[in-house]
Amino acid sequence: MKQSPAPAGSSKTRKAKPKGLKAWLRRIGVRQVRMFCGLVLFTYLLSHFLNHALGNISPAALHAGVMWHLEIWQFLPVAILFYGSVTVHAGLGLWALYQRRQFRWKTLEPLQLILGLSVPLMIYSHVIVMRLGNVLYDQDRLYPQVLYNYFVASPSYRAWLMVAVMLIAWTHGCIGLYVWLRIKPAFRRAMPWLLAAAVLIPTLALLGFYQGGREVAREATSPQWQADNLAPANLGTPEQQQTLEAIGNGFLIFYLSLIALALIARAVRAIIERRGGMVRLTYDGEHSIRVPKGLTVLEATQRHNIPHASACGGRARCSTCRIRVLGDPAALPPPSPREAFVLASIGTGDDPSIRLACQLKPTQDLAFVPVFQPRNVAARKAARAARVGEERYLVSMFVDMRGSTKLAESRLPFDTVFIVNRFLGAVSRSVIACGGQPNQFVGDGMLALFGLTEAPREACHNAIRAVSTIAAAIDELNSFLGHDLPEPIRFGIGIHGGEVVLGEIGYRDNMVFTALGDSVNVASRLQDMTKSLGCETLLSDELRATAGLSEQALPTLELEIRGRTEPMLVCVVERAGDLAAVLNEDLVLA
């Protein structure tokens, strides 16, 4: 019997992901700590901006909002978390300046780092006057005093400086959220709403800040208002202000010294690494580069402008930068806990030749081949459009034409190709009509994907609906070609859904976008098993449940699937055309 070819997007059966507290701790690294601290700071910034926005209502609303704001953020456990996050996040920003050996200046990463390092320089005086003035001297500075300082007492550039720091801090936080969320499956659907919030919230905050300033400037002409809001209890004595200014100057010198120290340390490290020796990296047998020891493979390729896929920007949050090492992998440094976790999660933890380029720091000459390989501008544009490296739920459908080998024995090659193309065309039109996407053509078979633009439930339902549509299209084709065929065209369909990784496979300009994962393998195996079971369609019971069909809608059977350790419950459909009635009946019952 003709065996169905293995799908081009298939991979080895994925092993179970490590679970439990130990696995969770293995995922935590410097980037995860920095991200958590950044989320705490962004939450504070969000609440502060919403407080500013109340200035569009009235000064009373602004005052009431700041009282709630202080009540929350000065609560001792929250205050400890907040100030701890400030310290850790700032320290890790300086560490990133030192540790990062190569920046991709066409990406958001350098901009995010520069904005983050500039925030303390622009906001330190405001924070010292507001917080230390209250802690050391019990000064009661709230919106009236702050707005008076910016809009009345100080030169106008102070207000513009505050506007700049608000926008810089917000932009830094939004870039961080984007870098974190961009590989999440739901990000594309949420992106319009997040963009609207990212524009609307600072706009309302700046308008509220301006409206509050105007109101204070109007009221500040009243002697009574000045007596109530500009007393020494609010602003402090000249001696106290001088002390706070000295503390601010000391902080400025200290912070600038830390930045200078990080830059000096980078220069010293570069000298030491060059004296420590160089290693030669051979990329795909074509590019050969020499770099100092201590660089990761990804940093080395970026330094020499060699295209290398990396969906998460080298943060070990995906596996698109992974490489296959040529030669003996035993001489490589062992994987870090974070790298080991990522490799185990994609089922390659037992293969020492597969490593993450963003984590591997070779100590001797290394030859390797990238798994995902953007080779030119067109390929990189296609990868961005296809969101290479994204992990998401997709439904895989394999459709195979039966008897094509026997058909080819009795016909001219051109006639065989014509009939196969008509079959594949009928199947493709049916898939597209039901919201799917033809992905790969292997001989007389096809892989179709559902769920590239819709939710899992809708994708599963569309895939099941496509089966009956395919059956109708093949019946019509058989009627059209009946005079030219010894027997009607028959087919087999296998369907399964699950988490896959979108990627490109191939070589150079011959790259094919496809899905990689265990669910693709299962769909291929189910299609192959329709031959021995004498049915037209096999779909997993899990997919039936996700589609929302009742348990009684389709007969089930427990099967051993090649490549899986446990049997699987599948739904058997003897005639694919019968699924239309099943869908309609289940919809009526629902």
Side-chain angles (χ1 to χ4, degrees), residues 440-486:
Q440 290 190 56
F441 300 93
V442 184
D444 58 354
M446 186 188 80
L447 166 63
L449 301 177
F450 293 78
L452 290 170
T453 59
E454 62 262 31
R457 181 185 179 93
E458 185 180 1
C460 294
H461 191 274
N462 287 344
I464 296 175
R465 184 163 58 92
V467 173
S468 59
T469 307
I470 291 172
I474 300 305
D475 287 342
E476 183 178 351
L477 180 62
N478 283 326
S479 176
F480 177 76
L481 299 176
H483 65 283
D484 202 35
L485 293 174

Side-chain angles (χ1 to χ4, degrees), residues 231-507:
N234 302 113
L235 301 182
T237 64
E239 293 78 10
Q240 292 173 350
Q241 294 178 6
Q242 186 176 4
T243 302
L244 294 177
E245 184 177 352
I247 294 175
N249 293 334
F251 170 81
L252 179 62
I253 295 173
F254 175 71
Y255 185 70
L256 292 176
S257 299
L258 290 179
I259 294 178
L261 183 62
L263 295 175
I264 293 172
R266 286 174 60 91
V268 172
R269 181 189 60 197
I271 295 173
I272 294 175
E273 287 178 347
R274 286 189 173 275
R275 290 183 175 179
M278 308 282 284
V279 294
R280 180 176 297 278
L281 305 183
T282 304
Y283 185 104
D284 202 15
E286 297 183 0
H287 300 282
S288 182
I289 57 178
R290 284 179 58 82
V291 295
K293 294 180 180 179
L295 268 68
T296 67
V297 173
L298 182 61
E299 289 169 342
T301 55
Q302 289 175 349
R303 174 175 291 189
H304 289 266
N305 297 317
I306 299 175
H308 198 133
S310 177
C312 71
R315 291 170 170 80
R317 292 180 54 222
C318 71
S319 62
T320 55
C321 71
R322 67 184 183 269
I323 60 175
R324 179 173 293 278
V325 176
L326 304 178
D328 184 13
L332 297 176
S336 66
R338 178 65 186 171
E339 181 184 3
F341 174 84
V342 173
L343 293 175
S345 67
I346 61 173
T348 60
D350 295 334
D351 187 352
S353 65
I354 300 295
R355 299 294 298 268
L356 294 185
C358 67
Q359 300 295 301
L360 175 60
K361 298 180 179 180
T363 56
Q364 60 184 26
D365 293 352
L366 175 69
F368 63 92
V369 176
V371 175
F372 298 110
Q373 197 172 179
R375 303 297 293 182
N376 53 35
V377 175
R380 291 196 295 273
K381 288 183 178 178
R384 287 196 294 269
R387 296 183 64 80
V388 170
E390 180 183 9
E391 185 172 357
R392 61 182 302 167
Y393 184 99
L394 287 185
V395 176
S396 304
M397 171 189 286
F398 275 88
V399 185
D400 184 66
M401 179 180 175
R402 299 287 186 250
S404 60
T405 304
K406 183 178 179 181
L407 184 68
E409 293 174 353
S410 58
R411 293 184 174 276
L412 293 174
F414 177 85
D415 294 334
T416 303
V417 171
F418 171 78
I419 294 173
V420 171
N421 281 337
R422 295 301 296 264
F423 170 82
L424 295 176
V427 173
S428 298
R429 287 190 295 271
S430 301
V431 167
I432 294 173
C434 294
Q437 180 64 50
N439 181 254
Q440 290 190 56
F441 300 93
V442 184
D444 58 354
M446 186 188 80
L447 166 63
L449 301 177
F450 293 78
L452 290 170
T453 59
E454 62 262 31
R457 181 185 179 93
E458 185 180 1
C460 294
H461 191 274
N462 287 344
I464 296 175
R465 184 163 58 92
V467 173
S468 59
T469 307
I470 291 172
I474 300 305
D475 287 342
E476 183 178 351
L477 180 62
N478 283 326
S479 176
F480 177 76
L481 299 176
H483 65 283
D484 202 35
L485 293 174
E487 58 183 24
I489 294 175
R490 296 177 294 108
F491 60 92
I493 302 177
I495 319 175
H496 184 50
E499 293 290 330
V500 300
V501 174
L502 302 181
E504 288 190 330
I505 60 173
Y507 180 69

Side-chain angles (χ1 to χ4, degrees), residues 31 101 139-141 183 214 226 388 410 451 461 545 556:
R31 292 186 177 94
R101 289 175 167 81
Q139 295 176 3
D140 192 14
R141 287 177 180 257
I183 64 174
R214 287 183 58 189
Q226 293 184 13
V388 170
S410 58
H461 191 274
T556 58

Side-chain angles (χ1 to χ4, degrees), residues 491 533-538 554-555 571-579:
F491 60 92
L533 294 176
C535 61
E536 290 186 345
T537 304
L538 285 177
L554 296 169
C571 299
V572 182
V573 182
E574 186 174 352
R575 290 183 52 81
D578 296 338
L579 273 179

